[in-house]
C-alpha cells in the first residue's frame, strides 16, 4: 500500500455519496458507483471516507464499486463520531468505541489494513485525548492502520499527539476564503505532516467569489479549478480531497492539477482572506 507521501496531490472525498444531510443512500446510486470507478480510472489513489457517512452507505458503495482495490489505493477513514436514528452526529470517543470503529471500517471496506485513520474532534468531545490517541497508536502497532491523523484539531493537540505516536496528517476546514489555519499549515509543513483540508470548495456553501471568477476567466478554467489550484500552490504539504457526487465535477476537479496560477493570480487570491 502507498503511503501518503506517495499519493497524488488530488484525491477524492467520498462524503457526498449519500442522501441529504449525509444520511441514507444517494439520489443516484449508479452515478455514485460511476464516480468512484472514474476516480480510479483517472488515477486517484487517495479516497477519504468514514463509516459515519450514511452511516455505512459510503463505505458500502466504495466496496461495491472498487473491491478488490487497486494495490496503490490509500483509503483514509475517520473515527470519533456516530449517527443516531435521526441522523444527529454524536461523539464516540471512548477507547472501546474508537477500537470498534476502526474494526468496523476495516470490515465494511473489506481490507486488512487501513491507509489512514483520523481522530475527529467535535463539540461534546469527552475523555482523555491522550488515551484515545494511544488506542489508535496501538492499532497502528498491530498493523491495522498505516498512518494516523487528527481532524478539527488545534496546534496544541498535534503537539501532544506527536509525543505519543507520529501524526501523519491533519484534516481541518480550509479554503481560499477561510484561512484560519495558515500558521498551522506552515508549521506542519516544517514537520513533514500533511494537511488535508476539508471543504476545499466551500463545503455546504460552495465558494462564489468574484476574484476567483476573474482568475478563472483569464485561464479558461472554472471557479472550482482555481480554488483547488490555489490550494495546491499554497503549500507542498497540502493534499486535496474535493467532494462531489457527479462524474463531470470529478473530472473537472482532477484537471485542476494541470492549472498553474502565476504570481499576479496568487496575489489577488491571497487578498481574498486578508
Ligand atoms: N474531517 C471532517 O470533519 C470532514 C468534514 C467534512 C468533509 N470531510 C471530507 O472532506 C471532503 C471534502 O469536503 P466536502 O465534500 O464537504 O466539501 P467540498 O469538497 O468543499 O465541496 C463539495 C461541494 O461542492 C460541489 N462541487 C464539487 N465539485 C464541483 C465542481 N467542479 N463544480 C461545482 N460544484 C462542485 C459538490 O456538489 P456536487 O456533488 O454536485 O458536485 C458539493 O456540494 C468530504 O468529501 C469528506 O471526505 C471531512
Amino acid at each position: 500500500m502507498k503511503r501518503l507521501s506517495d499519493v497524488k496531490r488530488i484525491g477524492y472525498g467520498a462524503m457526498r455519496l449519500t442522501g441529504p444531510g449525509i444520511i441514507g443512500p444517494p439520489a443516484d446510486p449508479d452515478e455514485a458507483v460511476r464516480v468512484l470507478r472514474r476516480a480510479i480510472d483517472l488515477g486517484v489513489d487517495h479516497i477519504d471516507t468514514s463509516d459515519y457517512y450514511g452511516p455505512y452507505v459510503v463505505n458500502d458503495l466504495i466496496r461495491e464499486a472498487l473491491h478488490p482495490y487497486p494495490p496503490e489505493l490509500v483509503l483514509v477513514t475517520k473515527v470519533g463520531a456516530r449517527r443516531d436514528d435521526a441522523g444527529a452526529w454524536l461523539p464516540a470517543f471512548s477507547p472501546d468505541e474508537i477500537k470498534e470503529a476502526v474494526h468496523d471500517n476495516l470490515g465494511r471496506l473489506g481490507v486488512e489494513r487501513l491507509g489512514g485513520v483520523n481522530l475527529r474532534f467535535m463539540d461534546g468531545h469527552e475523555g482523555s485525548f491522550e488515551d484515545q490517541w494511544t488506542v489508535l497508536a496501538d492499532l497502528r502497532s498491530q498493523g491495522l492502520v498505516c498512518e494516523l491523523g487528527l481532524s478539527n484539531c488545534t496546534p496544541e493537540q498535534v503537539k501532544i499527539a506527536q509525543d505519543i505516536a507520529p501524526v501523519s496528517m491533519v484534516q481541518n476546514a480550509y479554503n481560499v476564503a477561510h484561512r484560519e489555519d495558515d500558521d498551522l499549515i506552515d508549521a506542519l509543513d516544517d514537520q513533514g505532516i500533511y494537511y488535508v483540508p476539508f471543504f476545499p470548495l466551500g463545503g455546504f456553501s460552495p465558494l462564489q467569489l468574484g476574484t476567483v471568477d476573474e482568475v478563472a476567466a483569464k485561464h479558461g478554467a472554472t471557479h472550482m479549478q482555481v480554488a483547488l489550484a490555489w490550494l495546491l500552490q499554497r503549500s507542498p504539504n497540502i493534499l486535496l480531497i474535493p467532494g462531489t457526487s457527479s462524474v463531470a465535477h470529478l473530472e473537472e476537479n482532477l484537471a485542476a492539477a494541470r492549472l498553474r496560477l502565476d504570481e499576479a493570480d496568487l496575489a489577488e487570491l491571497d487578498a481574498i482572506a486578508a
Side-chain angles (χ1 to χ4, degrees):
M1 186 190 295
K2 276 186 182 176
R3 309 275 305 190
L4 282 174
S5 53
D6 300 319
V7 300
K8 300 202 172 91
R9 297 286 309 280
I10 307 186
Y12 172 64
M15 186 182 84
R16 300 283 160 180
L17 302 181
T18 65
I22 321 299
I23 278 288
D28 186 348
D30 292 340
E31 176 75 350
V33 168
R34 280 193 292 273
V35 167
L36 288 161
R37 292 189 177 150
R38 185 72 179 132
I40 299 300
D41 287 348
L42 291 172
V44 165
D45 54 7
H46 171 200
I47 295 181
D48 184 81
T49 184
S50 179
D51 250 358
Y52 53 63
Y53 294 154
Y56 312 119
V57 168
V58 170
N59 278 352
D60 287 347
L61 277 168
I62 289 173
R63 185 170 181 166
E64 176 195 337
L66 304 181
H67 196 277
Y69 303 109
E72 65 275 12
L73 180 63
V74 175
L75 290 168
V76 176
T77 192
K78 293 169 224 84
V79 298
R82 63 185 172 84
R83 312 296 293 277
D84 70 8
D85 291 343
W89 300 78
L90 304 176
F93 289 107
S94 75
D96 282 349
E97 285 173 310
I98 289 172
K99 205 181 298 173
E100 195 181 323
V102 169
H103 282 282
D104 284 353
N105 275 277
L106 284 162
R108 284 270 163 188
L109 290 166
V111 292
E112 292 181 354
R113 191 178 205 203
L114 292 160
V117 174
N118 283 298
L119 179 62
R120 177 191 188 270
F121 291 97
M122 63 185 295
D123 290 346
H125 178 263
E126 48 198 30
S128 156
F129 156 55
E130 288 89 336
D131 289 351
Q132 294 152 7
W133 187 248
T134 300
V135 172
L136 288 179
D138 289 345
L139 294 168
R140 178 175 164 272
S141 301
Q142 292 166 33
L144 300 179
V145 182
C146 213
E147 298 181 83
L148 298 178
L150 295 168
S151 179
N152 290 303
C153 66
T154 63
E156 292 68 34
Q157 287 163 330
V158 176
K159 209 181 281 176
I160 294 167
Q162 279 283 62
D163 286 339
I164 299 171
V167 178
S168 299
M169 62 197 141
V170 163
Q171 191 175 116
N172 285 358
Y174 183 82
N175 59 47
V176 67
H178 295 282
R179 300 182 48 179
E180 291 80 3
D181 268 357
D182 267 334
D183 291 344
L184 177 61
I185 289 171
D186 296 336
L188 295 176
D189 189 33
D190 289 343
Q191 299 170 69
I193 298 174
Y194 288 97
Y195 186 87
V196 187
F198 69 82
F199 297 163
L201 302 175
F204 293 100
S205 311
L207 296 171
Q208 287 181 304
L209 300 158
T211 307
V212 177
D213 278 336
E214 285 162 26
V215 174
K218 174 178 150 185
H219 288 277
T222 68
H223 195 97
M224 296 316 196
Q225 287 174 327
V226 170
L228 295 173
W230 177 83
L231 283 165
L232 292 178
Q233 288 179 238
R234 165 64 184 80
S235 184
N237 65 330
I238 289 185
L239 298 175
L240 298 182
I241 49 162
T244 180
S245 55
S246 113
V247 170
H249 285 169
L250 172 82
E251 292 173 348
E252 179 184 324
N253 296 344
L254 293 173
R258 296 191 290 275
L259 176 60
R260 272 314 283 180
L261 303 172
D262 62 30
E263 289 303 322
D265 303 328
L266 294 175
E268 280 183 43
L269 294 166
D270 283 346
I272 291 173

